[in-house]
Amino acid sequence: MSTTPLISIAVLKARTGQREALRDALSALVAPTRQEPGCLDYTLFELRDEPGSFYMRESFQDQAALDAHFATPYFQAFEKRFGELLDAPIRLVFLEKVA
């Protein structure tokens, strides 16, 4: 089993008129996610030049920790709102640390 953390950037674009609601929904995920046993980093950003474009920098101990995150009640509740809040499906970009 690999001991390399799973690092990703989640890209989320707000549906027109849903910027504040998406920001609030994403912000509500931060504190409980940071308390998850396998969470190493969970930080929310908004693109300066493109309000409503959010990036969540995520790092989990392994795939099992990420899967456990997706199964939490608070993430499941957020997932049910995707159609209401998001202009496009979430794009999850996985990264390999180089230096």
Side-chain angles (χ1 to χ4, degrees), residues 24-56:
D24 291 347
L26 289 168
S27 294
L29 294 174
V30 174
T33 300
R34 287 180 178 166
Q35 297 303 310
E36 294 173 22
C39 180
L40 305 173
D41 179 41
Y42 202 74
T43 305
L44 179 62
F45 300 89
E46 184 174 17
L47 191 58
R48 279 187 190 177
D49 297 337
E50 201 175 305
S53 292
F54 295 93
Y55 295 82
M56 187 73 79

Side-chain angles (χ1 to χ4, degrees), residues 13-19 22 52 82-88:
K13 292 195 60 97
R15 184 178 291 281
T16 301
Q18 295 296 319
R19 176 184 177 217
L22 179 56
F82 282 3
E84 165 198 348
L85 299 173
L86 300 177
D87 191 42

